[in-house]
Amino acid sequence: MTNPARAVQEFRLPDLGEGLTDADWVHWAVAVGDRVELNQVIGEVETAKATVELPSPYGGTVEELLVEPGQTVPVGAPLLRIATEDGPAEPAGDSGGPSRPSVLVGYGPGDAPQSRRATRRASADAGRARDGDPPPARPDAKPGARKLAALLEVDLDTVTGTGRGGVITRDDVRRTAGHGDEPTAGHGEEPTAERPHSPAPEASPERTTRIPVGGVRKRTAEAVSRSAFTAPHASVFLTCDATATVDLVSTLRASPAFEGVRPTALSIVSRALLHAIADEPSLNAHWDDDTGEIVLHHDVHLGIATATSDGLKVPVVREAQRLSLPRLARSIAEVADRARTGRSTPSELTGSTVSVTNVGVFGVDGGTPILNPGESAILAVGAISDRPWVVDGALAIRKVVTLSLSFDHRLVDGEQAGRALATIGAFLGDPVPMLLADT
């Protein structure tokens, strides 16, 4: 009786979509010597947009782990080697070759350097895995907490989670690592969009702190830098009476049409932006650098800037102009929730054509947001607060909000931006007739 031929297959980081060129390895779910099944999750990577679980394209035994948590891995670089029993053996040192099947899209030709430390660490667990001992239960931790634990070299099995349902948060990891007194942005796991990503402070003699940057924070920095230095930004501002909008939101919350969803002022603001785009389509466009042309989008893919524990994300509501107000409110709530909880896929966080950001939730009156690359406009909504306002010649206390519209001056002029912002302000001042006109 002959044994099946044993082959060593090398799994490379696939293209996870939307032109991503690399990703940060967050966590291994397997160790050297583990038996894995086809499509079993082997680990997590963090891209510019989301944390993604990677399934194994092979069934077999893990021979070698080639990257370690916290490492940035180019698309096409080898991740691990798996011994299978379905073909001729492949030399373990061979990192490429025409005979290897491309089981997932996006394999690149380049090889990344092997992490010897990751291989040594993984090999330490090989004996236990080969003896048939069951693998330990995987700690329930948020993706950002997993990556921080890897950077601070904290064993998640030793961390007590204080999040909802016992989930391990970043603050839990810091306390275990002895950094419990570090200042953080926001409270708990709800930081602002400006929170540095995955901090692992290293104090220098000059009394400074260096913070490694990766994942969402690194990609956000690259995106805003590219936008700021390629698109000539300009902004217009408007302070308006939003009392009627606030009253409408209260009425809608009691409406059966909004059962299961909590409408907010952002829902009305988003509908107002869609209404303005119908009159000023240049707000839903982008400048094609290769051809020097203005590209007008027929559909509005509305980006919702969302602060998450991993940094700023912009989930997208597709074809927002086709949605009724209840469906728009529900879609905004759903995509934002998926982004905050790390459940968004990369495709759900790309492809927006215009964006809105609600800086008012942080208690500020307004701002000048930077354009999302590939867009011509972004609307910022400040806090709605009680302020003195003149109504019919008399002073009254009203619900007032400040709006700001940043735009790409290559394809949007001040006249178009001003008209659009005035339209949005008028909509918020008397939303019911506008909503009826849009139905």
Side-chain angles (χ1 to χ4, degrees), residues 124-141:
D125 297 330
R128 173 184 52 77
R130 288 196 178 97
D131 290 340
D133 292 341
R138 181 183 179 193
D140 190 4

Side-chain angles (χ1 to χ4, degrees), residues 33-38 56 58-63 82-85:
D34 283 357
R35 174 72 187 179
V36 297
E37 304 297 332
L38 181 66
S56 173
Y58 310 107
T61 302
V62 178
E63 287 272 308
I82 297 176
T84 65
E85 296 180 349

Side-chain angles (χ1 to χ4, degrees), residues 103-154:
V103 295
L104 290 176
V105 298
Y107 283 12
D111 289 336
Q114 176 179 338
S115 169
R116 296 178 182 175
R117 183 161 61 137
T119 303
R120 287 198 302 268
R121 287 165 123 182
S123 298
D125 297 330
R128 173 184 52 77
R130 288 196 178 97
D131 290 340
D133 292 341
R138 181 183 179 193
D140 190 4
K142 291 193 173 186
R146 290 187 183 281
K147 186 168 183 181
L148 181 57
L151 290 172
L152 298 180
E153 297 186 348
V154 172

Side-chain angles (χ1 to χ4, degrees), residues 57-89:
Y58 310 107
T61 302
V62 178
E63 287 272 308
E64 197 173 7
L65 304 182
L66 305 177
V67 299
E68 61 181 310
Q71 181 177 336
T72 299
V73 185
V75 169
L79 300 174
L80 82 167
R81 295 190 176 107
I82 297 176
T84 65
E85 296 180 349
D86 57 0

